[in-house]
Amino acid sequence: MGILSSLCKNLRTCSIRTHSNSALSLLRRMSNVPENTVYGGPKPQNHTQRVTLTHLRQKHKKGEPITMVTAYDYPSAVHLDTAGIDICLVGDSAAMVVHGHDTTLPITVDEMLVHCRAVARGATRPLLVGDLPFGSYESSTHQAVDTAVRVLKEGGMDAIKLEGGAPSRITAAKAIVEAGIAVMGHVGLTPQAISVLGGFRPQGRNVDSAVKVVETSMALQEAGCFAVVLECVPPPVAAAATSALQIPTIGIGAGPFCSGQVLVYHDLLGMLQHPHHAKVTPKFCKQYAHVGDVINKALMEYSDEVKNGSFPGPAHSPYKISASDIDGFMHALQKMGLGDAASAAANAAQKIEPTK
């Protein structure tokens, strides 16, 4: 009896442990849950675990390039997961790429949160970073912290990104970090500042501007940022900033000497082929595919087949009704006074039957 009681107790313990381990495994795949907690201890990294700041620091220390892609929805997030991308940025560039605006300025916090939540549902592996849109953090540190909190709590992000290196932006970054939220900085061409930059203009192309890029990057590091995006600056300037910093730099149009690279999902896939997107597609973007051409071809073929009646055919009309039920259905339609409908059903049944 004692042996049986002991065996049952051990089985219950194993069951509890199995359930606990499954729950912990699921929890670790959720956004905002650190990989290494003070209670759980360090766990080995693998391809399926969410990337954390610790993981990024390890890659940077080893000199391993960091991959980052800007994406805005669930399907693209799933693709980033499959490809093993390190960081997914939900960028305010959604204003241009998804919403069709000419700048990033119009997008709101609420609109950004919709994109953030969609990406968070699709990406189980990358570190998720959400942009603070224009007008959501400039007024005060309280506004900046409140917006950053929303991006994490309501958007499911792991960190936020903010643009610029003005003293107020540095102060905002510091306040957000002190609130317990990871911050990625962004210097060089900062699209939210096109009003004062005079358009989408590269930075760091003269001595003063180049020095400012490096100084601003260092100030953001001092404020507690875990990484800095360098956008549209000459490669030597990016190399200098990368050397001066102890945190990773993520380049976009900044040459090969950064700690990592970022491109927009739609841009690198060559997804959008229309005049608006041609107007805003950056010169530095390499297209690794021409998905837009494939999409256009598929849409035209679909349109043609609908017009000529070849789609949908029997192969794409899978839901069947038996011959006896067809007869009963036609009889019911006749009783309802719908003779034409009964004839239509009979003709459809004959045409949809696959050729034997």
Side-chain angles (χ1 to χ4, degrees):
M1 187 68 179
I3 295 175
L4 181 61
S5 175
S6 177
L7 178 60
C8 290
K9 182 177 180 181
N10 288 338
L11 288 172
R12 285 196 299 271
T13 301
C14 289
S15 176
I16 291 170
R17 285 177 178 169
T18 301
H19 177 75
S20 176
N21 288 340
S22 298
L24 182 60
S25 176
L26 176 62
L27 187 64
R28 289 204 186 282
R29 294 179 63 191
M30 294 175 64
S31 188
N32 303 323
V33 179
E35 175 202 3
N36 299 331
T37 68
V38 293
Y39 300 107
K43 303 292 182 184
Q45 274 285 341
N46 65 50
H47 183 75
T48 62
Q49 289 181 310
R50 181 173 292 286
V51 174
T52 65
L53 296 188
T54 299
H55 180 217
L56 294 180
R57 293 188 190 105
Q58 290 171 349
K59 292 196 75 169
H60 181 235
K61 185 177 181 180
K62 295 176 183 177
E64 298 177 2
I66 296 168
T67 57
M68 179 163 132
V69 173
T70 301
Y72 314 105
D73 57 23
Y74 176 85
S76 56
V78 171
H79 282 300
L80 265 59
D81 237 14
T82 304
I85 300 298
D86 295 319
I87 306 173
C88 176
L89 171 66
V90 184
D92 61 354
S93 50
M96 303 173 73
V97 178
V98 177
H99 297 274
H101 295 294
D102 289 330
T103 73
T104 64
L105 303 185
I107 199 164
T108 66
V109 173
D110 287 336
E111 288 171 328
M112 283 296 300
L113 289 174
V114 172
H115 291 292
C116 288
R117 286 192 289 267
V119 167
R121 286 190 286 269
T124 61
R125 182 185 184 275
L127 183 83
L128 303 180
V129 181
D131 255 338
L132 298 192
F134 178 71
S136 70
Y137 62 99
E138 297 88 343
S139 297
S140 67
T141 55
H142 293 293
Q143 183 200 32
V145 171
D146 287 347
T147 304
V149 167
R150 290 191 68 191
V151 170
L152 265 66
K153 291 188 70 172
E154 299 177 39
M157 298 290 99
D158 301 309
I160 65 93
K161 181 174 77 65
L162 54 75
E163 289 187 12
S168 61
R169 306 293 177 95
I170 302 297
T171 301
K174 188 172 187 294
I176 294 170
V177 171
E178 289 176 351
I181 298 171
V183 177
M184 175 180 283
H186 183 160
V187 301
L189 192 165
T190 48
Q192 292 178 11
I194 61 169
S195 178
V196 294
L197 293 178
F200 295 103
R201 300 184 182 280
Q203 302 297 300
R205 300 180 72 182
N206 58 53
V207 174
D208 290 342
S209 181
V211 169
K212 184 179 179 181
V213 168
V214 176
E215 288 180 338
T216 302
S217 300
M218 295 176 69
L220 287 166
Q221 175 181 262
E222 184 66 23
C225 290
F226 70 89
V228 175
V229 171
L230 301 176
E231 181 168 358
C232 293
V233 300
V237 178
T242 301
S243 176
L245 297 178
Q246 296 178 355
I247 59 175
T249 58
I250 308 296
I252 178 165
F257 306 110
C258 297
S259 312
Q261 298 292 329
V262 58
L263 286 175
V264 172
Y265 179 85
H266 297 66
D267 292 344
L268 72 89
L269 292 179
M271 182 173 286
L272 301 180
Q273 308 291 330
H274 57 77
H276 171 77
H277 193 254
K279 182 171 63 175
V280 300
T281 300
K283 291 188 293 185
F284 56 74
C285 180
K286 178 178 179 179
Q287 293 188 343
Y288 289 84
H290 297 283
V291 175
D293 293 336
V294 176
I295 292 173
N296 288 340
K297 182 175 182 292
L299 289 172
M300 288 187 288
E301 287 182 4
Y302 163 73
S303 178
D304 290 341
E305 289 193 3
V306 169
K307 291 173 182 176
N308 65 32
S310 61
F311 177 84
H316 297 98
S317 303
Y319 309 110
K320 308 299 181 186
I321 182 170
S322 68
S324 60
D325 283 329
I326 279 285
D327 290 340
F329 180 46
M330 291 169 56
H331 181 68
L333 290 172
Q334 294 284 2
K335 289 180 65 175
M336 294 167 64
L338 299 174
D340 289 345
S343 297
N347 290 334
Q350 291 177 348
K351 290 180 180 180
I352 206 66
E353 284 298 319
T355 303
K356 295 181 181 179

